[in-house]
Amino acid sequence: PFLAGTPARLLWLGKDRAMVLDVASGREVAGGFSYPRPFVGLPSAGSAVRADSGAMAVLTGEPAALKPDSHWEAWTQEAGAVSHATVLEDAPVGTPPATNWICFSPTGDLVALSANTSPQIIRVWNLVTGKPVAPAMTMDSRLAFTNARPAAFSPDGTRLAVGASSGLVRVWDVATGRALFDLEPSAPSYIRLVSFSSDGERIATGSAGGLVRLWDAKTGKLIREPIVLDASLGALEFSRDGRLLVTSSADDTRLWDGRTGEPIGAPFAAGGAVRAARFSDDGTRLVTAHNAGAARIWDTATLQPVTELLAHPGLRVPNAEFSPDGHFIRTEASNNHFYLWPVPPAAGNAPVP
């Protein structure tokens, strides 16, 4: 992932150690660290590294082993070293190992984790102590684990919204493990994506069948009628300021008012089925990642592309993101390689410099 701050830098997880790379030069710079022990797996859904890169969760043990030889650990980092490593007590390993989703709280040292078990059990741990912070939370139906983000913390870390295969989304109180309310489905369909707005006032949910709904995060009431996409949902994301919401499907990509859910402009054809769409931190640009082996950057004010298609011949592109300074994007391809691209400084149709 990109590291917070400027200039743009990447945290690269190698076999034995993590390196910090300067994006502009490609050179290693200070800030990397050695692992306290080898790890054998990362989550199959969600990021193993917290957004501020100050903590990560990894599976340690033997590659082919299940419990008790494998377990999840939390590593916290500071000053270029792992300052603390602790086992997450009774964290489920999954079968096979690493078939887990994981979600870090934006504030506080909390992480939510679940494995592909039935019934579906979700729990939140303290990253420093390794202890659960509340009783386990249970869903009657399974969660999506592939190309999915089925859970999200509220920005203040006090609530956790979790979506399941039945189409139900349940909002939990993190401190007590108590269910606060359910966001009821209109039809059974896997919930693939769940997102809180940055002010914690709204929750956006998206199902595999292309049904997107915008909810009041305090009352659990729908803000507007559901958005029905023509094809399966690929991306659902709020801008950092919560002003915009993006949806994408196999057919098109569209911006919506992040507060009211009303459409902004017309849908735009991104060039093939979109698997991910991310805003720049300032919300002025959008990057789309396509199954057809390309990515593209857009101006959110004009809905016009600011690059040509960024080709990855013969590959799928399941993910892309902006650096915090907005000067670069990182794309992830189906060959497990990552690519870095500069972002043009001016709007309008322009080739990549």
Side-chain angles (χ1 to χ4, degrees):
F2 282 111
L3 295 175
T6 56
R9 290 181 173 175
L10 278 169
L11 182 67
W12 185 266
L13 302 181
K15 181 179 179 181
D16 303 312
R17 58 188 291 268
M19 298 178 289
V20 175
L21 304 177
D22 176 74
V23 173
S25 67
R27 296 193 180 101
E28 183 177 2
V29 295
F33 55 88
S34 297
Y35 305 142
R37 61 191 60 83
F39 66 81
V40 296
L42 298 172
S44 56
S47 174
V49 182
R50 197 170 64 187
D52 66 357
S53 303
M56 60 189 297
V58 297
L59 186 68
T60 62
E62 295 299 322
L66 298 177
K67 294 181 295 184
D69 300 309
S70 298
H71 51 259
W72 286 97
E73 293 190 15
W75 297 347
T76 52
Q77 297 94 242
E78 58 179 314
V82 174
S83 58
H84 187 77
T86 187
V87 173
L88 300 180
E89 292 184 7
D90 300 321
V93 169
T95 307
T99 50
N100 297 66
W101 66 258
I102 197 165
C103 181
F104 288 96
S105 170
T107 59
D109 292 318
L110 300 177
V111 64
L113 189 145
S114 184
N116 57 339
T117 59
S118 183
Q120 193 77 63
I121 296 173
I122 305 102
R123 206 156 194 182
V124 178
W125 283 262
N126 183 290
L127 289 167
V128 177
T129 67
K131 296 183 180 298
V133 300
M137 311 167 193
T138 303
M139 303 283 281
D140 293 333
S141 54
R142 291 180 180 271
L143 278 61
F145 283 84
T146 304
N147 297 322
R149 193 182 63 245
F153 278 98
S154 61
D156 62 4
T158 63
R159 292 166 291 162
L160 181 70
V162 183
S165 59
S166 64
L168 176 74
V169 179
R170 183 162 289 163
V171 180
W172 306 83
D173 179 82
V174 170
T176 65
R178 180 173 62 91
L180 298 175
F181 52 82
D182 290 344
L183 308 179
E184 294 289 349
S186 57
S189 182
Y190 256 107
I191 297 295
R192 287 193 59 250
L193 298 169
V194 176
S195 183
F196 270 92
S197 61
S198 57
D199 59 7
E201 297 290 328
R202 296 166 304 286
I203 301 172
T205 62
S207 71
L211 187 67
V212 174
R213 294 187 291 178
L214 189 63
W215 309 84
D216 185 303
K218 291 183 178 179
T219 67
K221 304 296 184 184
L222 271 174
I223 291 175
R224 60 153 287 162
E225 290 299 309
I227 299 166
V228 181
L229 304 179
D230 293 335
S232 60
L233 180 70
L236 177 68
E237 193 94 17
F238 281 103
S239 60
R240 183 176 287 270
D241 61 7
R243 185 176 57 87
L244 300 174
L245 179 71
V246 62
T247 62
S248 66
S249 68
D251 294 332
D252 56 46
T253 298
R254 190 161 195 174
L255 294 185
W256 310 82
D257 187 299
R259 297 178 178 87
T260 67
E262 294 302 313
I264 297 175
F268 51 98
V274 172
R275 301 309 306 162
R278 297 283 181 84
F279 290 99
S280 59
D281 278 4
D282 63 6
T284 63
R285 299 290 174 85
L286 179 77
V287 60
T288 52
H290 312 162
N291 259 354
R296 202 167 202 179
I297 303 172
W298 305 79
D299 184 293
T300 58
T302 65
L303 305 185
Q304 294 299 309
V306 299
T307 66
E308 305 295 336
L309 287 172
L310 308 177
H312 302 61
L315 302 170
R316 297 184 306 279
V317 183
N319 203 6
E321 65 171 342
F322 283 91
S323 61
D325 61 10
H327 294 163
F328 299 91
I329 62 166
R330 178 184 68 91
T331 58
E332 176 186 341
S334 53
N335 60 356
N336 294 322
H337 290 181
F338 296 90
Y339 302 83
L340 294 169
W341 309 80
V343 176
N349 294 310
V352 178

